Amino acid sequence: AGRDVAQPDKAGSLGVELVHLYKIQDDTTYLGFAVRIANTLAAHIKTGDSNYSPLPFKVNVYTGKTALLRNHDFTGKAIDSAGYTSNWAPAMQLFLDLIELKQGNTAAYKKGFDVLLQWMKKYPIQLNKWGPFFEDVDWWSETQINAMTFARFIMEHKQYFPQWQTDVEGIINWVHIMFN
């Protein structure tokens, strides 16, 4: 992602995989690293809006500032593309798994999960603005992986989505239209 730059969404993906390794191997080293990742993510979550996700896509690991990449979104509006991604299903699953395991700062994970959940419902699902995933592109990109990963998350967690069938159908239809 560039010198001194990290992608918080990928940290969430690593964290949930570390929890899976812990469950398979019963090695608390994996769990410890997953908790450290979750603590860092939870400590930096903000509300977000239609142009900035609750955590940025790319961030300088030393300054904490969003990496500067100026681009245009799907409407042509200039945005900081490094400030937005919707690839939060893995981070949300990480929070849920650690809450279930009663490991780490579960109150912060619950709060972080709730912020991400409300943001995902308000912006990506409603706007079909799924944003970037790949670190090797320095412009705004819409990706199906963010959308479809979240559709799967919805199906695995229907209790959070009263209209889950409509939500999933909308996401799948968007992917078929956008990437046909």
Side-chain angles (χ1 to χ4, degrees):
R3 183 178 174 95
D4 304 332
V5 175
Q7 294 176 280
D9 65 312
K10 305 311 185 289
S13 296
L14 174 60
V16 78
E17 295 305 329
L18 288 167
V19 170
H20 294 162
L21 284 169
Y22 162 72
K23 289 178 178 179
I24 293 167
Q25 298 289 324
D26 197 29
D27 183 339
T28 57
T29 304
Y30 298 124
L31 184 61
F33 284 119
V35 165
R36 288 175 62 186
I37 290 169
N39 287 345
T40 301
L41 294 175
H44 291 92
I45 290 179
K46 297 182 177 13
T47 304
D49 59 30
S50 64
N51 289 319
Y52 293 92
S53 47
L55 291 163
F57 178 50
K58 294 183 180 183
V59 64
N60 182 294
V61 296
Y62 296 107
T63 67
K65 298 203 182 286
T66 301
L68 296 176
L69 296 173
R70 299 298 294 177
N71 287 295
H72 296 86
D73 72 4
F74 65 100
T75 67
K77 180 180 176 187
I79 63 162
D80 174 1
S81 63
Y84 187 102
T85 187
S86 65
N87 185 38
W88 299 117
M92 293 169 73
Q93 188 63 55
L94 170 63
F95 290 154
L96 289 175
D97 286 352
L98 291 174
I99 290 167
E100 182 181 333
L101 292 168
K102 297 178 177 52
Q103 295 293 316
N105 188 347
T106 57
Y109 306 157
K110 173 72 171 114
K111 182 179 176 187
F113 174 85
D114 289 343
V115 168
L116 288 168
L117 178 64
Q118 293 314 309
W119 183 82
M120 293 296 293
K121 287 179 174 184
K122 186 172 183 179
Y123 297 107
I125 290 176
Q126 296 303 312
L127 301 175
N128 275 319
K129 184 176 176 184
W130 298 99
F133 175 87
F134 301 100
E135 67 280 349
D136 60 346
V137 233
D138 61 355
W139 61 86
W140 176 264
S141 63
E142 290 286 343
T143 56
Q144 63 81 25
I145 192 168
N146 294 350
M148 293 304 289
T149 300
F150 202 69
R152 179 176 140 192
F153 182 85
I154 291 170
M155 290 186 286
E156 292 173 346
H157 300 284
K158 297 172 189 167
Q159 69 271 28
Y160 298 111
F161 303 92
Q163 303 296 319
W164 71 269
Q165 291 170 308
T166 303
D167 293 338
V168 170
E169 183 179 4
I171 292 168
I172 292 171
N173 287 340
W174 176 83
V175 168
H176 282 286
I177 291 166
M178 187 73 170
F179 299 99
N180 187 7

